[in-house]
Amino acid sequence: MRPAPDPATASASAGNPYRLPRTVEPVTYRLVIAPDLERATFEGTVDIDVTVHDQVDEIVLNAAELTVRSVTVLPPAGDPVTPGVDLDEKAERLSLRLPAPLAKGDATVSLTFSGVLNDRLRGFYRSTFTDPEGRARTIATTQFESTDARRAFPCWDEPDRKATFEVTLVVDEGLLAVSNAPVAEESAGGRSGDSGGRSGDSGGGAGPKRRVRFAPTMKMSTYLVAFVVGPLEVTPPVDAGGIPVRVVHTPGKGHLTAYALDVAEHALAFFTEYFGIPYPGEKLDLVAIPDFAQGAMENLGCVTFRETTLLVDPAAASRVELERIADVVHHEIAHMWFGDLVTMEWWEGIWLNEAFATFMELLATDHYRPAWHRWTTFGIERDMALAVDGLHATRPIEYPVGPPEEAEGMFDLLTYEKGASVLRMLEQYLGAEAFRDGVRHYLDSHAYGNTVTGDLWKALEEVSGEPVRAVAESWILQGGHPLIRVDGETVTQEPFAYLPEPRHGSSAIGRQWLVPLLVRRIGAGGGTSGADPASAPDREPSGAQSQRALLGDGPLSLGGGGTGIPLANAGGWGAYRVAYTGAQLESLAGLLGELGPLERFDLFSDTWALVLSGRLELGALLGLANGLEDEDEPGVYRVVTGALDLAERIAGPDLRPRVQAATRALLGRRLAELGWDPVPGEGERVPGLRSMLIGALGTVGKDGRVRSEAARLFDAARAGGPPVDPDLESAVLGVVADMGRDGDFEMFLDRYRHPSTPQEETRYLMALTAFPDVERCERIFELATSEARSADGFLLVRGLLANRVGGPAVWARVKEDWDALLARLPDPNQAAMVGTVRLLCADRTLAEDVERFLTEHPVHVGQRTVVQTLEQLAVHVALAERLRSNGRLAAALEHVPVG
């Protein structure tokens, strides 16, 4: 039984009009659901044992898109009563008006209801697929985060209303049924009212039925409840330290499950040791869903995934694709502790839930495959978050959340990547062991309960003795990040922004941070990359060789205690930008070999950010790139290729050939050294670099030799020869598409429709958006709005808007079909759909049209992200106009010797 709520919590929720009253609390749900897959409907009953804290004459809970057929309430004493029922669809609240006051004590609320299996990939919805015999089949599945459990059954749909759940599914014979807990009992029959409650018949359609009753769950939030029913198959269980782990999949895909099982087994062992707490569930099912809006969802014991993030043939997958699956599996299993066992009290805490799972996924994947150097790769992802965080339209990582749609809008780069980077920065500053011990203390103290963010800072402070709260709150309670300026032995900070002033309203960028600095010196002679752990990839900087300091509002003197240039982000873990003087930057260009891979990436990405903000000329970045001789880190080249891509889009016909020549000069020699074929003993990140160079040289650089070789490999594979190396295939497809040859488009379309793996389907899906032809772009736009799965449609539109030739025409189609797009695409994907309009920057008139339309036609969820995209578009337009003035682009290109 749930104890009476804490007075402070009750008071806080009472002041939030979007919170339910605290007078009645759920304890146990006994839920029976009978889906009818053929009719796309469901019926159900739920008996909810509750604790009544204060005498009430009304019970208020959540319900949406449900037909409530009957309600009874069994009071603490006496006979059942029938309340009046009011369903407020707009507020998504169900009010039960009692005929007499309900006294304090234990009671039971029983309801019967029905609903529709929707096609919007939220709540209780349907997913379809074609089986190996060519038959169309249907699955009923759930996605409840943030506030969509109320679309499947009436409930107290708030994260701190934890309860236990006893789920029974009434399903057709021959269908698989899974939920959060193990199956406790199966029996014949189809009447949901036989569960022992006082609810009526749930029906469920014609034909023989069976009842699948699952064991009770631990105490948890409604958004973590899950149930899946369909013509599915399941792998034999793998014993992972006493926990049975299975993969649930559509028929014919069992051969794609072994890798996910191996990652899951690793995850359970890794997290059990790291957290010092056993896995909180009794079993773990990983369920691959054909139609899924996001990457995956951390339902306790029944984690649901998009197929491409779970099912894979390792022999036919690239290293990057395998890394992505390992990341997602690790991320969701980390949630079993951080999120499911200990849960945020309200949705403003979702950032910590997701940021911490992101942090843990990186730790676990790095442990699973150390040669992947996962923390170095994260530098690229963190940089994407900083690119948003340098906008006046950024937001604090944590901010007050009112209505549910505000919670939905928090699932973005700032929550995941910036949040995780702040945690990593804290971990590196405190030390990995102290940080881990603080996390263990936090989980031990709050198991099965709910927390606010300050509870974690308190636990870390108690273990480490450091001012964690003051440091952390300066990063999460205000938007933006600082620019750290290094001038000799003095370090200062200032707010970083790409534009000098906000374009609309006020700026969300903060003014001052407590910055945990790790500083080391390079260029003192003799080199340090072989000796200093800070320069080794993915390793914590050595305290003996790195100076640790907190930078506040005033200048910080480094004390002149050494020679060489002070590197103000040693190890590369800081979530901030660094600017050096011109002389220092020139010296650093000759000292790249003394920097670790992540430190080199930071140097290049910070330089590019300074170019975008107008603080440096493009020539500074291109000059730095001339020093890339034996670079194997893909992220460093990603900065350079991104800058060249944007320059090529901006350049007019007269300068475009010079940008292409500069691309060939900067990248061609490195590809020639690497070759197209893997070399025994090369690092596991080299294939990704090779692929990146091929893609940039073949598209931006229009390199004839690269285009010929890509076409040769593609044609040979098409003719039945050796398949293209999985690490190269996406790049090769992109180059071949850019060539626009006759016949390739139809072949790409056929391979997209008949893939051998989920990863192949995605490769061809994205390659279809790269043909430089307006007519073909419009054909793919039609595909996005019709044949493609709704969860994939946004990827097609996003890719088409980035198309150099077809982008403007596709934008016209987006405007024309805007309402239809929003009606078809899942709400979480709509803001991402238009994320690439930031590349429509070469024509100011077009950019202004984009801004006007997207301002006047908001998306359903994530309009803040759209506003950020529009500011990124303005940043690119400003760069375009600077580069076109006074021959500045031509001058920048002079920094690249073209022979």
Side-chain angles (χ1 to χ4, degrees), residues 317-333:
S318 70
R319 202 274 304 168
V320 172
E321 290 164 344
L322 293 176
E323 181 182 285
R324 168 65 175 159
I325 291 172
D327 280 349
V328 176
V329 172
H330 283 134
H331 182 103
E332 304 308 327
I333 296 178

Side-chain angles (χ1 to χ4, degrees), residues 31 53 83 119 226 239 250 263 291 297 346 360 416 463 465 583 585 641-642 691 716 759:
L31 175 66
H53 295 299
D119 293 320
D239 187 331
T250 57
V263 176
D291 296 279
M297 176 60 206
W346 186 243
M360 291 307 304
Y416 288 78
V463 169
L585 187 61
T641 58
S691 177
Q759 289 70 38

Side-chain angles (χ1 to χ4, degrees), residues 530-545:
D532 186 357
S535 66
D538 310 331
R539 294 297 173 261
E540 181 179 345
S542 168
Q545 300 191 35

Side-chain angles (χ1 to χ4, degrees), residues 41-106:
T41 61
F42 65 92
E43 297 187 359
T45 69
V46 64
D47 297 329
I48 312 171
D49 294 337
V50 301
T51 297
V52 183
H53 295 299
D54 296 299
Q55 179 175 289
V56 294
D57 55 14
E58 182 182 52
I59 299 173
V60 183
L61 61 162
N62 294 115
E65 300 172 5
L66 296 173
T67 299
V68 178
R69 302 193 180 279
S70 67
V71 183
T72 60
V73 177
L74 179 63
D79 297 324
V81 298
T82 301
V85 178
D86 294 322
L87 178 59
D88 184 337
E89 285 286 1
K90 183 177 181 180
E92 300 180 349
R93 290 189 176 189
L94 181 68
S95 298
L96 310 180
R97 291 176 283 101
L98 298 163
L102 189 64
K104 293 172 64 174
D106 298 334

Side-chain angles (χ1 to χ4, degrees), residues 695-825:
L697 283 165
T699 57
V700 179
K702 298 294 186 289
D703 187 300
R705 288 172 296 182
V706 169
R707 289 161 78 88
S708 294
E709 180 62 10
R712 186 192 69 79
L713 290 173
F714 175 78
D715 291 340
R718 183 178 181 181
V724 178
D725 185 324
D727 284 306
L728 300 185
E729 188 170 22
S730 290
V732 167
L733 293 178
V735 173
V736 170
D738 191 69
M739 295 170 68
R741 303 184 306 172
D742 291 340
D744 288 342
F745 180 82
E746 296 300 334
M747 185 271 179
F748 277 39
L749 191 57
D750 183 70
R751 290 293 291 274
Y752 159 66
R753 288 169 170 160
H754 304 95
S756 59
T757 67
Q759 289 70 38
E760 183 180 67
E761 179 180 3
T762 299
R763 291 175 205 157
Y764 278 92
L765 174 104
M766 298 312 301
L768 282 167
T769 69
F771 284 84
D773 177 273
V774 170
E775 182 180 350
R776 287 168 173 166
C777 285
E778 292 192 336
R779 282 188 60 187
I780 297 305
F781 182 83
E782 295 292 342
L783 186 75
T785 57
S786 57
E787 177 186 336
R789 293 187 182 277
S790 61
D792 291 335
F794 87 98
L795 292 172
L796 288 171
V797 176
R798 181 182 178 90
L800 290 168
L801 287 169
N803 189 291
R804 287 174 171 76
V805 174
V810 170
W811 169 247
R813 291 298 307 275
V814 168
K815 291 194 298 180
E816 181 181 339
D817 292 359
W818 184 252
D819 291 340
L821 284 169
L822 296 194
R824 185 170 194 271
L825 300 185

